[in-house]
Amino acid sequence: MPQVILSINAGSSSVKISVFKAEQIGQRPTELAVAELAGLTSPPATFSYSRGSEKVKKKKLNDDIKDQERAFQFLLDYLVNDKGLSDITERDHITHACHRVVHGGSYPDAHIIDPDTYHHFEELTDLAPLHNAGALSIVRACAKELPKTRNIAYFDSSFHATMPECIRTYPIDPEVAKTNKLRKYGFHGISYSFITRAVAEYLGKNQQNTSLIALHLGSGASACAIRNGCSLDNSMGLTPLEGLPGATRSGSVDPSLVFHYTHDAGKPSPYSSKDMHISTAEDILNKRSGWKALTGTADFGQIASSDDPKCRLAFDILVDRIVGYIGTYFVSLEGNVDALVFAGGIGEKSALLRATITQKCRCLGFYMDVTKNDSPANEVVADVGEQGHNPRILICRTDEQYEMARQCVTNPKVWN
């Protein structure tokens, strides 16, 4: 009997569930369906679904769905009632639920969720209230709706557990840092795990001998130095706010900036709730900054194609910050770089961004093939660099949902 796995990704305004099956441990999971509800914070919510030839794209719903828990219930009902999804005819057929949890603190790998670990995850929410609260609400819903299903947490921070002490430590009072868990954690780790494995396979190299500079570029953006298959450094820090700017995130700024921005920086944000306690400063830098603050739109495709000076500035700022990390990581890796990898929605789709970044990095030996870059191969990993040049320039279609399912199937501790 096949095991059915849900890979669940709760965003701030969306919930996505991918359904996989696998017959036995170690087998590559097969994707059966993908369901998503988006626009939870700006109703009406929209529903998308894909199973084989059946497609539903951004269908507006009349249901009053405004939070992740209600969204999860809607998606679960849809999956169980889909007559074409024969592997799930009742809820008990779902054996595993993999939850993407952004902040895992010091957890170095996936963890089965039981009452004790759940309460520990609740404590970690104080470190990332904007990112963990939604995931934990889905965990609660799973425990209620799927009592026989094994829940496993996969942390975006775990991949970066290998960062050296000198990189993960902030130069502040060590006792205060230890008591309050204040250090660099790094994020987008599930994506970087997928990228590392997929690129190593593409290059025909052992993962332990693969070194990369990887860019996960989406509405949240980050860079990662990967040495011999392990994270050496990540642009994100204590929270995903540090590092590169995003659609609504400022990225790294002078920490004193926010106190000059508003006198209410330390006060609770009006968006705080019973489950999510955030300050005005966190709200400003996470939700009211980034390229949307500069241009009025979060659509990076629109920004990249515009001649508006505000859009050009936003584009140039992102390029400048990314190039800075590439240079830093190239030195950190002592020039031992197999490839520069572009991933994430923007990294995969924006040929102009890739070309602009690579042009500025030619001094490091990165040479792009313009034709390949404009029309990359429709593969998990595509080469867009000039033939015969190293390091390579690659695009990777990262898949966090698949990566969670794959890790579930290959880990005896969570599979059995």
Side-chain angles (χ1 to χ4, degrees):
M1 176 110 181
Q3 307 280 290
V4 177
I5 307 159
L6 301 186
S7 285
I8 306 166
N9 192 341
S12 58
S13 63
S14 65
V15 176
K16 181 178 181 180
I17 301 177
S18 297
V19 184
F20 297 89
K21 73 172 181 179
E23 298 284 348
Q24 59 188 13
I25 191 166
Q27 183 183 64
R28 284 181 180 261
T30 302
E31 185 178 271
L32 303 175
V34 180
E36 182 173 17
L37 267 182
L40 301 181
T41 56
S42 53
T46 58
F47 172 64
S48 299
Y49 187 64
S50 173
R51 176 186 49 76
S53 60
E54 181 175 338
K55 310 287 181 185
V56 178
K57 190 171 183 181
K58 295 184 177 180
K59 177 183 177 182
K60 291 184 178 180
L61 301 179
N62 296 322
D63 304 59
D64 187 26
I65 301 174
K66 295 181 179 178
D67 60 55
Q68 285 92 345
E69 186 169 350
R70 179 71 187 89
F72 173 75
Q73 291 168 342
F74 174 91
L75 294 174
L76 181 61
D77 287 342
Y78 192 94
L79 292 168
V80 172
N81 292 318
D82 179 4
K83 301 300 183 186
L85 193 57
S86 58
D87 290 282
I88 306 178
T89 56
E90 55 186 79
R91 297 186 178 204
D92 287 352
H93 289 164
I94 300 168
T95 55
H96 300 77
C98 304
H99 300 264
R100 180 190 173 211
V101 180
V102 171
H103 211 309
S106 300
Y107 281 103
D109 47 32
H111 217 82
I112 294 173
I113 303 172
D114 56 31
D116 289 338
T117 54
Y118 177 82
H119 291 309
H120 189 207
F121 299 160
E122 282 188 311
E123 294 172 7
L124 291 173
T125 300
D126 288 338
L127 288 174
L130 289 163
H131 307 95
N132 275 20
L136 292 185
S137 72
I138 300 262
V139 171
R140 289 194 299 270
C142 260
K144 180 171 129 184
E145 303 286 338
L146 302 169
K148 295 184 179 180
T149 299
R150 174 171 289 181
N151 289 284
I152 310 122
Y154 289 85
F155 306 106
D156 259 337
S157 50
S158 292
F159 182 75
H160 306 294
T162 54
M163 288 192 299
E165 187 177 14
C166 64
I167 289 176
R168 67 174 185 260
T169 302
Y170 291 122
I172 60 174
D173 185 307
E175 290 304 315
V176 174
K178 183 178 180 181
T179 300
N180 295 292
K181 302 180 177 66
L182 304 178
R183 67 170 181 88
K184 172 182 273 204
Y185 291 94
F187 300 96
H188 282 150
I190 299 170
S191 174
Y192 288 123
S193 177
F194 180 96
I195 291 166
T196 305
R197 179 184 52 79
V199 169
E201 286 182 7
Y202 178 83
L203 296 175
K205 297 191 69 169
N206 189 302
Q207 190 169 321
Q208 285 70 36
N209 296 324
T210 303
S211 295
L212 311 169
I213 297 173
L215 306 170
H216 180 108
L217 306 177
S219 58
S222 71
C224 188
I226 298 164
R227 182 174 63 190
N228 297 327
C230 298
S231 176
L232 174 67
D233 200 354
N234 180 243
S235 58
M236 290 176 164
L238 173 70
T239 75
L241 178 61
E242 186 178 347
L244 296 173
T248 62
R249 290 179 193 149
S250 66
S252 293
V253 296
D254 186 323
S256 65
L257 176 147
V258 74
F259 298 104
H260 294 277
Y261 190 113
T262 175
H263 295 300
D264 296 330
K267 294 181 180 179
S269 162
Y271 298 103
S272 286
S273 66
K274 177 172 65 74
D275 297 318
M276 186 170 69
H277 309 290
I278 60 174
S279 67
T280 297
E282 289 174 302
D283 177 50
I284 289 169
L285 298 178
N286 279 284
K287 296 294 185 182
R288 290 188 269 158
S289 299
W291 55 75
K292 184 177 181 181
L294 293 169
T295 67
T297 179
D299 185 341
F300 191 81
Q302 182 181 330
I303 291 168
S305 62
S306 174
D307 292 327
D308 185 308
K310 293 178 180 177
C311 292
R312 296 311 309 159
L313 176 60
F315 184 91
D316 291 344
I317 287 172
L318 181 60
V319 168
D320 173 77
R321 306 306 191 265
I322 291 172
V323 168
Y325 278 108
I326 292 173
T328 298
Y329 290 165
F330 195 89
V331 173
S332 296
L333 292 166
E334 300 177 350
N336 297 315
V337 178
D338 293 303
L340 172 64
V341 186
F342 292 88
I346 295 170
E348 294 172 28
K349 295 175 184 175
S350 182
L352 177 61
L353 183 66
R354 294 193 301 267
T356 306
I357 290 169
T358 306
Q359 177 63 33
K360 288 182 175 292
C361 295
R362 283 175 70 91
C363 62
L364 300 177
F366 295 108
Y367 291 88
M368 176 167 280
D369 184 310
V370 176
T371 303
K372 289 181 183 177
N373 184 52
D374 288 342
S375 301
N378 186 25
E379 305 288 347
V380 174
V381 179
D383 194 329
V384 293
E386 282 190 10
Q387 189 172 357
H389 279 281
N390 284 306
R392 310 281 281 277
I393 305 171
L394 306 174
I395 300 171
C396 180
R397 292 165 55 186
T398 187
D399 189 340
E400 292 159 317
Q401 312 286 106
Y402 176 84
E403 182 63 16
M404 288 191 289
R406 186 195 68 81
Q407 290 187 23
C408 177
V409 174
T410 56
N411 185 348
K413 292 181 181 177
V414 301
W415 179 253
N416 298 321

